[in-house]
Amino acid sequence: MSELPWGVHGKILEVDLSSGRIEEAPLDPGQVADYIGGRGLGTRLLYDRIDASCDALCPDNVIVIAAAPLIGTNAPTAGRGHMVFKSALSGGIGSSNCGGTWAPAFKSTGYDALVIRGRAASPVLIDIRPERIEILPAAHIWGKDVHQTTEALQAGEADRRTRVLCIGPAGENRVRFAAVMNDRNRAYGRGGPGAVWGSKNLKAIRVAGQKKIQVKDKERYQSGLEQSFYLLKQAPATKRLLRDLGTAGLVELINLINMLPHRNFLDNRHRDEDVENVSGETLAKKLLQRAAGCYLCPMGCQRHTRVGDKKGEGPEYETMVMIGPDCDIYDLEAITRVNYLCNELGMDTISFGGTLACAMELFERGILQAKDTDGLELRFGRSDLLDELARRIAFRQGIGDRLAEGSYRLARAFGHPEFSMTIKKQEIPAYDPRASFTQALGYMTSPTGACHLKGGYAVSLAFFGGTKEIPRFSLLQSPIGIRNMHNLGIIQDSLGVCRFTGYAFSYDPWARMMSGLTGLDFSTARLEEIANRIAAVERLFNLAAGLTEADDTLPARFSREPILVAGEERVVSTNAVARMRMDYYRARGWDEQGNPTPATLESLAIGKRKSP
Amino acid sequence: MKKKTWNTSEDVLRLFQTVGRASLLYDIQDSHSGNMAIRHRDESGNDWIVITSTGSQKGDLEPNNICFLSPAETDFGYYKASSETDIHARILALEGVAASIHAHTKEIAVVTLDDADKPNQPAPFIPVDPLGYYHLSGVVPVDWMAVPSGSPEMAKVIPERLAEHPATVIQAHGTFAKGRTLKEAFFRVCIANNAGYVVRLLKRLKVDVEGLRQRVWDSPQASFSYPPPDYTIDDDDVCDFPGETEILREFQKAGARIFESRLSPFHSGSMSVRGVGSMLYAPKASMPREIGGPLREVPLEVEDGDSPEIQVHKQIYAASDFQTIMHCHVPEAEAQAHFVYPGDDGPLDRIVPIDAEGSFIHLVIPVVPAKTGIAELVRLLHDYKVVVVRGGGVWAVGAQSLSEALHHPSSLREICLYRIGAFEQGLDLRRMEPGKARNW
C-alpha cells in the first residue's frame, strides 16, 4: 500500500542520543494497515530496529513511543500513549501504556512515532516544538523528582499545550521497575521503562504542537463515536462505578471472590474490617478530593486525594493491594502517602509492592536478616517503613539497592527465587491466579511478564463480564478465552484507548471509527487479524531475546500451596499449567516451544525483520 | 401377564413428568389438555401401552396419572386412561412407532381454522420455516371432525394420517404426532406449533404467505439453507465432557433458556464452545432442564458424515477467533426476515431495533438470504455478532462465553416482538428506527 491513510501524519522522528542525530523517516502506510499504531506500530518498529539480545540497559536498547491514529480525534479515551523497549526487568519486550495528556500533545507535533536509541554522554532532554527539535542539556533537572521536573520544564512556557514526559530519581538510578511519568502522576509503569531512560541519560521529553488530523468519512466515524458514548453511558462500571469508587472499588469485590492476595500470595485470608479499610468506598469517604479523567475520558477513575497537607493521586486498585494487603498492610493513609512518593520518584507501584512483599517473606523466614536490611525489621505489616523503603530503592541506598533489582533478582541473590511471585521476573498484580485458571494463563502468557492488562484482563470477565462471564476453572475454555482477551487488549493499546472501555464494548465501535477516520477497512475481523499479528511479533521479539516456553509459567507456590476459593482448595497444577500453555500456543498458531509456525507467519504476512 | 398396579416405574414416571412439564413450559397445552402414550416392555417382558390419565395435569403428573393398559384387550387400566386412548393405541400400532402425543398447539390450531361450511376437507398446512418443512415432511394434514375429541372417527383418520406424516392437525382441537420415542413425538408437536406460529406472525406482518408457500413448495432447496439434522433418539444422555463442570453448567443453563424463552423449539438449534483442537457441541440446543440432550466433544476439522449444521460451526471457527456459537430458530426472527416495508419491492436486509435494550445491544441486525456463504456469514458475525438467515435460523457468536452468544437471539426475539407489535398498531417503523442505524 502506498497511499497514506488519514489519521496519521506519515512521519517518524528518530533520535540517536549517542550521536545527537535527529532525523525524520517516512511512516510506511502498510504498517498502519497492518499494525495500526500505539502498541502494534511500536512493536513492529522496535522489532525492526533492535538486536533483541542486547542488554536492556546498554545504548543499543531502543525506545519507541507510538501514537495511534485515533489520537487527535474526539474518540472517548483516545489519548493513551504507548512505549515499547527491551524491558529492564524481564529481558523480554517492555510494553507500557499510559493515560494523561502527553500522547495527544506528542501527536500534535506532527509525528506518529518517536524512536530513541543510543546513550547521551550526559543528562539530556528532547524538546519537540513546531519550530525546532533539539536535544538539550538536562543537568539542571537531573536529580529532581517527577513533579519538580515537570514544573521546571513547564515553567515560563507561553504555550499552554506544552507537556512533559520524564523520569524521576528511580529512573536515573536505573531501578528495574522505574516508571516514565506524564502529567505528574500518570505512569508508563511496568517493565522498567524509566530504567531504560536512565541508562540513556534521558531525563525528559517536552512536546508542544498544533498539527491536527482530519477524518476521511465523517458519517461512518460519527456512527462509531455515537455508539461508543451510548454504550459507555450504559454499562455500570463505565457510567458510574469507576467515577465514584475508582479502580479501588474492586477491593471488596475481589476479596469476596477469594482472589485478593495476602502476604506475598501466601494466602487469600483477610479480616473483613481490614479489607474495608482499604476499599474504594473508604477511600472515597476519607481521602478523595475529586475524581477526574484522562484525556477525553468520560469515566473518570482518577483519584485526586489528600492525606494531611499532602495532595496527590491514587491509590488505584493494584497499588492499594500490592502495597497493602499483599504486604499485610491495611493502613489507607500510609498506602496513599507512599503512592504519592512512588509517583514523585517515578516507580511502578505494582512491582514496588510485590518486591516489598517478597522481601518481607524472606525476612520472616530468616533468609533476609537485619544485617542485610540496614537493621530494618522488614516484617509483614510494617507500614511505617514504606516511605523510607521507597526512597532507599529510588536512590539505591543500602537494602534499597537490592530491592531496586525487583523481587526475582533479590530472592535469587539470597538463594530462594521461589519466593518471588513473578513471571518473567515481573511481579504478579493483585489477583491471585489460583482463583481463576484464565487469569493464571493470562499472567503466564503475557509477553511482558505478569501483567493483568497485557495478560488479558480475564478477571474482569470472570466476575463482572455481564453476558461475557466465563468459567473460572475451565482448562478447555481458558486458552481461547485468554487469547481473545489478549487480542482485545492489543487492539485497545494500538488504538490508543483505555482498557476500561472494554467494560462497555469490544471491537465494534472502534472498527467503525477507525474505518471512518482512516478510509481503510478496519472491520472487526481485520482487527482480530492485526491483534494476532502483533502478538506474533511480540513473541518473536521475546524468542530473539532468549525467552523460552519455560518462562511462560507460574511460580511453584501456585501449584503447591492451595487457597480456599468458595470453600474448595484450589491450586493451578503443573499439569494444568502445561496443558493450558500448550493449548494457548496452538490457539495462536505457535509450535510446542511457542515459536510461531511458518504457516502462521505467512498467513499473518509478518515478513522478515529489517536489519537494525 | 403380570398383574398391573398403579406403581409405575421410576423411569417411565420421570419421562412423562419431564415431557409433561416441558409441554406446559412451551405453552402447547392448557392445564389439563392433551395426552401422551408410549409402548413399554416391563422387566418381565410384558408389553404395555402407557398413557396419561384423563383429565390429568400434564405439568404435574403423579404416579397414579400414568395408566398401564393391555395393548390387546380392554382391562381395568382403561377406567382412568385418556379419552383418546383408542387413537393412541392405533397410532402405537403403526410400524416403527413407540410413542404418541396429542397437544392443543394453539398456534397451528388457530392458523388452520377456516370458516367454510361443514363438513369440509380443510387445506393442509404447508410450513414455510425449515424446521417445519423438513421435520414435518413438507405438509401437515388438517381434518375436520364432527366429534373432534376421542371419537371413533378420529381413531380411524388420525392413524391413517400418521401412517404417512409425522404429525397431523385436527381442526380446532390440536395436533397429534408420532415418534420412535416420546421425546421425538414431543419434538414434532413443538415443531408443528412453531411452524404455525411463524405463519401467524407472517400474517400479522402482512407478508404474502401464499406466495411464500408456493416458493417453498416449488423449491425448498432455494428457500432454506440446508435440511436440519435428522432427529436422533438414542444419545440424549451422552456427555463427552463430564469433567468440565463449569462449561457443562453453561450448556445446561443456555439450553434451558433457549427452550423456556422459546428461542428455538424443543431439541432444535445447536450451540458450541470451541477448545483448541476440539469443540464441545450440543446438537439439540433447546434443552429443557430435566430432559437435556447430547453433549459431544468433536474435532474442529470437518469430518466425513458431519451434518451441514455442525459443518457451519466448524467453518465459522476455522475462519474466526470466536469461542462460542449458537444457532436458534427464533420464530419471530424467521417471520421478521420476510417482512417487506410498505412500498418496498423485497424483504428487509436489516432489522433495526426500536426498543431500548435492543438498541443498546444491537444497532442493527443483518438479514441475509438462505444460501449466504460462510465467508459472508463470518464477516457479518464479526461486525454484528448475530445474523438472521432468511430460511436458515439465527446465528450468534461470542468471543468468550455461551452466555454472550445467548444474549443475541434472546434480545433479537424481543426486538422482533416490538417491531411486530408496532406494525400491528399501524405505526410507521421507518419513522421509529434511528436514522443513523441505516449506516451502522
Side-chain angles (χ1 to χ4, degrees):
Chain A
M1 135 176 237
S2 57
E3 194 176 333
L4 194 65
W6 292 46
V8 297
H9 299 295
K11 290 192 296 186
I12 299 169
L13 183 63
E14 306 231 18
V15 177
D16 187 330
L17 294 174
S18 297
S19 66
R21 196 166 55 240
I22 299 172
E23 293 176 329
E24 269 184 23
L27 173 65
D28 176 356
Q31 290 192 332
V32 180
D34 290 344
Y35 296 90
I36 307 178
R39 178 173 169 182
L41 178 64
T43 298
R44 183 70 215 203
L45 294 175
L46 178 74
Y47 180 63
D48 283 339
R49 283 163 171 74
I50 192 174
D51 174 357
S53 65
C54 74
D55 185 316
L57 298 179
C58 84
D60 293 338
N61 198 352
V62 174
I63 300 163
V64 181
I65 307 173
L70 281 175
I71 294 178
T73 69
N74 58 350
T77 76
R80 298 187 71 87
H82 205 93
M83 191 180 309
V84 289
F85 48 94
K86 174 156 177 159
S87 168
L89 200 56
S90 73
I93 191 164
S95 190
S96 195
N97 190 273
C98 184
T101 57
W102 188 88
F106 168 70
K107 189 163 178 190
S108 73
T109 64
Y111 295 99
D112 301 302
L114 170 61
V115 178
I116 303 165
R117 54 163 58 90
R119 173 185 290 160
S122 58
V124 295
L125 74 95
I126 301 172
D127 201 26
I128 306 172
R129 294 164 179 278
E131 63 277 12
R132 64 181 184 281
I133 299 165
E134 295 177 290
I135 300 171
L136 301 174
H140 64 296
I141 47 174
W142 196 256
K144 290 188 186 300
D145 72 26
V146 167
H147 291 189
Q148 293 164 341
T149 303
T150 304
E151 282 155 22
L153 293 180
Q154 286 186 321
E157 284 290 316
D159 191 339
R160 289 172 57 199
R161 290 168 298 200
T162 301
R163 292 290 182 273
V164 172
L165 189 62
C166 67
I167 60 172
E172 294 173 12
N173 293 305
R174 306 180 193 185
V175 173
R176 285 189 184 269
F177 47 89
V180 176
M181 311 290 292
N182 85 105
D183 289 0
R184 300 160 63 98
N185 298 307
R186 319 299 324 155
Y188 291 84
R190 305 232 68 193
V196 178
W197 278 43
S199 75
K200 295 183 175 303
N201 277 325
L202 176 61
K203 178 66 177 175
I205 306 173
R206 181 168 58 187
V207 294
Q210 50 200 14
K211 294 258 175 63
K212 297 188 185 310
I213 57 162
Q214 301 296 319
V215 174
K216 175 129 193 215
D217 179 347
K218 288 182 180 163
E219 192 178 4
R220 188 165 177 75
Y221 171 82
Q222 191 69 17
S223 77
L225 183 72
E226 287 174 10
Q227 185 191 18
S228 67
F229 276 111
Y230 182 81
L231 296 172
L232 286 168
K233 284 182 201 163
Q234 304 289 326
T238 54
K239 77 174 170 186
R240 210 176 74 193
L241 186 130
L242 287 167
R243 179 171 294 279
D244 288 355
L245 300 182
T247 58
L250 285 172
V251 171
E252 294 268 17
L253 175 64
I254 298 301
N255 183 47
L256 278 176
I257 56 180
N258 310 118
M259 212 169 182
L260 197 72
H262 185 216
R263 293 162 57 98
N264 200 31
F265 291 88
L266 274 164
D267 61 70
N268 58 347
R269 297 188 300 273
H270 310 266
R271 296 191 311 166
D272 288 347
E273 56 270 34
D274 287 341
V275 173
E276 192 180 350
N277 281 343
V278 294
S279 68
E281 292 86 339
T282 303
L283 177 68
K285 284 177 197 150
K286 289 191 171 176
L287 304 182
L288 184 66
Q289 300 284 293
R290 68 184 171 90
C294 294
Y295 186 76
L296 289 175
C297 176
M299 292 176 281
C301 72
Q302 286 180 11
R303 305 289 86 183
H304 291 257
T305 51
R306 179 181 194 130
V307 178
D309 293 336
K310 184 110 174 150
K311 288 182 185 173
E313 277 191 52
E316 309 287 349
Y317 169 80
E318 307 292 340
T319 307
M320 185 80 90
V321 178
M322 294 308 293
I323 300 176
D326 197 43
C327 293
D328 206 18
I329 290 171
Y330 299 90
D331 180 338
L332 177 62
E333 294 196 358
I335 296 166
T336 307
R337 263 197 315 272
V338 81
N339 187 168
Y340 295 167
L341 193 53
C342 285
N343 287 348
E344 292 161 17
L345 296 168
M347 276 195 295
D348 172 33
T349 51
I350 298 176
S351 283
F352 171 72
T355 300
L356 291 195
C358 172
M360 288 171 172
E361 183 175 357
L362 291 173
F363 190 89
E364 297 232 348
R365 289 179 181 275
I367 297 164
L368 205 57
Q369 298 178 349
K371 66 181 172 53
D372 305 309
T373 61
D374 316 327
L376 298 174
E377 287 284 312
L378 199 50
R379 296 190 180 282
F380 281 120
R382 290 293 304 273
S383 60
D384 57 311
L385 295 179
L386 289 174
D387 290 2
E388 181 58 27
L389 288 166
R391 288 192 190 90
R392 290 192 191 192
I393 291 171
F395 291 99
R396 285 190 174 267
Q397 296 166 342
I399 180 64
D401 191 36
R402 292 277 198 191
L403 299 175
E405 292 292 294
S407 66
Y408 180 80
R409 290 173 174 84
L410 168 75
R412 188 181 59 184
F414 286 87
H416 289 279
E418 71 275 17
F419 296 127
S420 164
M421 296 303 111
T422 52
I423 295 170
K424 302 184 182 74
K425 305 184 180 71
Q426 177 161 280
E427 284 69 23
I428 295 175
Y431 309 95
D432 194 309
R434 287 165 289 196
S436 162
F437 285 178
T438 321
Q439 185 64 65
L441 182 60
Y443 286 153
M444 287 159 52
T445 53
S446 161
T448 58
C451 179
H452 58 301
L453 298 177
K454 298 297 176 300
Y457 199 22
V459 65
S460 69
L461 284 191
F463 308 111
F464 34 95
T467 64
K468 294 185 179 181
E469 280 184 12
I470 54 173
R472 293 166 73 173
F473 302 106
S474 169
L475 292 177
L476 181 133
Q477 196 159 344
S478 291
I480 290 185
I482 206 66
R483 190 236 7 227
N484 290 354
M485 286 293 281
H486 278 176
N487 281 358
L488 179 58
I490 287 170
I491 293 302
Q492 289 166 332
D493 288 346
S494 302
L495 294 171
V497 300
C498 179
R499 273 296 189 291
F500 295 156
T501 59
Y503 288 129
F505 52 82
S506 54
Y507 296 109
D508 314 9
W510 300 128
R512 264 193 292 279
M513 277 187 267
M514 277 296 290
S515 299
L517 168 66
T518 61
L520 301 178
D521 165 33
F522 279 108
S523 63
T524 297
R526 180 141 179 81
L527 292 177
E528 284 181 0
E529 178 195 316
I530 290 170
N532 287 327
R533 178 179 298 116
I534 295 166
V537 176
E538 289 177 337
R539 184 70 185 177
L540 291 171
F541 182 99
N542 278 348
L543 292 167
L547 274 64
T548 69
E549 77 276 15
D551 295 294
D552 296 339
T553 193
L554 291 173
R557 166 160 295 161
F558 299 112
S559 61
R560 292 178 185 158
E561 301 170 28
I563 58 170
L564 271 182
V565 179
E568 213 173 313
E569 289 199 334
R570 290 283 186 183
V571 294
V572 190
S573 71
T574 51
N575 284 342
V577 165
R579 176 179 160 181
M580 287 196 295
R581 178 175 56 210
M582 183 64 65
D583 282 353
Y584 176 85
Y585 289 170
R586 289 174 65 196
R588 280 271 180 227
W590 302 350
D591 68 16
E592 292 181 2
Q593 283 75 47
N595 301 296
T597 63
T600 298
L601 295 174
E602 187 179 346
S603 71
L604 294 173
I606 286 174
K608 290 199 183 307
R609 177 174 165 266
K610 294 174 187 169
S611 299
Chain B
M1 181 176 281
K2 184 184 172 189
K3 188 173 172 55
K4 293 186 289 290
T5 73
W6 291 112
N7 296 322
T8 179
S9 77
E10 278 299 315
D11 286 350
V12 170
L13 175 63
R14 185 171 175 278
L15 175 67
F16 275 67
Q17 285 177 326
T18 53
V19 174
R21 273 195 285 270
S23 70
L24 269 290
L25 278 173
Y26 201 60
D27 197 25
I28 55 171
Q29 302 283 26
D30 69 28
S31 56
H32 294 74
S33 70
N35 27 67
M36 301 179 278
I38 60 170
R39 278 197 279 118
H40 176 65
R41 176 166 291 177
D42 67 20
E43 293 167 355
S44 306
N46 301 312
D47 288 323
W48 304 101
I49 288 175
V50 187
I51 191 164
T52 47
S53 63
T54 185
S56 56
Q57 295 188 45
K58 306 306 171 296
D60 289 282
L61 289 168
E62 308 275 356
N64 65 3
N65 295 137
I66 311 299
C67 306
F68 281 62
L69 317 176
S70 163
E73 60 185 13
T74 301
D75 64 6
F76 78 92
Y78 200 86
Y79 280 110
K80 273 181 76 108
S82 166
S83 59
E84 281 160 344
T85 296
D86 294 349
I87 303 169
H88 286 283
R90 291 190 188 184
I91 297 171
L92 294 175
L94 294 171
E95 178 77 25
V97 175
S100 58
I101 287 186
H102 162 51
H104 279 193
T105 55
K106 291 168 278 293
E107 300 296 341
I108 194 168
V110 167
V111 86
T112 52
L113 292 173
D114 68 39
D115 56 1
D117 291 338
K118 304 298 177 184
N120 76 329
Q121 178 60 56
F125 175 80
I126 312 289
V128 295
D129 65 297
L131 293 178
Y133 183 85
Y134 285 108
H135 286 300
L136 302 176
S137 67
V139 176
V140 181
V142 181
D143 287 288
W144 175 85
M145 298 283 161
V147 181
S149 180
S151 63
E153 184 188 11
M154 288 170 72
K156 176 179 182 300
V157 171
I158 291 170
E160 287 175 4
R161 299 297 192 203
L162 291 182
E164 304 293 329
H165 298 276
T168 190
V169 168
I170 301 303
Q171 199 173 49
H173 188 176
T175 304
F176 283 80
K178 66 180 179 183
R180 292 166 292 173
T181 64
L182 192 61
K183 285 187 266 188
E184 183 177 47
F186 179 59
F187 170 75
R188 286 170 167 166
V189 290
C190 291
I191 295 294
N193 196 56
N194 183 72
Y197 183 45
V198 170
V199 169
R200 278 195 72 201
L201 291 168
L202 290 167
K203 291 185 173 182
R204 287 157 70 182
L205 286 167
K206 301 194 186 310
V207 171
D208 173 13
V209 174
E210 292 314 312
L212 182 58
R213 279 185 165 141
Q214 191 61 52
R215 290 196 295 278
V216 168
W217 193 251
D218 290 346
S219 179
Q221 293 79 7
S223 302
F224 303 123
S225 297
Y226 50 81
D230 292 338
Y231 190 82
T232 56
I233 60 168
D234 51 4
D235 58 354
D236 283 350
D237 296 327
V238 171
C239 176
D240 292 339
F241 46 93
E244 283 279 3
T245 53
E246 286 178 298
I247 300 184
L248 195 53
R249 196 162 61 243
E250 292 302 308
F251 270 104
Q252 288 162 344
K253 279 163 54 182
R257 184 52 40 229
I258 294 169
F259 177 74
E260 290 173 5
S261 294
R262 299 178 208 171
L263 305 180
S264 206
F266 173 72
H267 274 182
S268 68
S270 57
M271 57 182 164
S272 63
V273 173
R274 169 205 224 164
V276 173
S278 63
M279 68 178 193
L280 308 183
Y281 182 62
K284 295 175 175 176
S286 181
M287 301 184 291
R289 290 180 201 280
E290 298 171 309
I291 296 180
L295 296 167
R296 294 291 198 185
E297 180 165 10
V298 297
L300 278 172
E301 295 78 27
V302 175
E303 296 180 302
D304 291 344
D306 277 350
S307 69
E309 179 86 2
I310 198 171
Q311 283 187 40
V312 175
H313 285 257
K314 293 181 174 184
Q315 289 166 340
I316 290 174
Y317 284 139
S320 73
D321 286 347
F322 301 130
Q323 180 147 40
T324 58
I325 297 174
M326 190 170 283
H327 182 217
C328 292
H329 292 274
V330 183
E332 292 83 1
E334 192 81 48
Q336 187 68 217
H338 291 286
F339 176 67
V340 180
Y341 284 100
D344 281 6
D345 294 333
L348 45 65
D349 63 0
R350 54 179 55 201
I351 295 171
V352 181
I354 57 171
D355 60 303
E357 190 195 272
S359 300
F360 166 47
I361 299 170
H362 308 286
L363 299 165
V364 298
I365 296 155
V367 179
V368 297
K371 296 300 183 187
T372 299
I374 284 292
E376 177 66 359
L377 184 62
V378 170
R379 185 186 74 77
L380 292 168
L381 286 170
H382 269 120
D383 285 348
Y384 298 94
K385 306 292 178 279
V386 57
V387 175
V388 179
V389 180
R390 193 179 298 111
V394 174
W395 288 93
V397 293
Q400 304 291 347
S401 67
L402 269 183
S403 166
E404 184 187 359
L406 168 68
H407 201 194
H408 298 311
S410 187
S411 172
L412 172 61
R413 178 172 178 265
E414 289 199 354
I415 288 166
C416 293
L417 285 170
Y418 266 93
R419 288 177 56 90
I420 293 166
F423 183 74
E424 278 183 315
Q425 295 180 69
L427 303 177
D428 185 341
L429 284 171
R430 291 266 202 221
R431 284 173 59 87
M432 301 174 78
E433 295 166 357
K436 57 195 172 189
R438 292 183 195 112
N439 298 320
W440 276 341

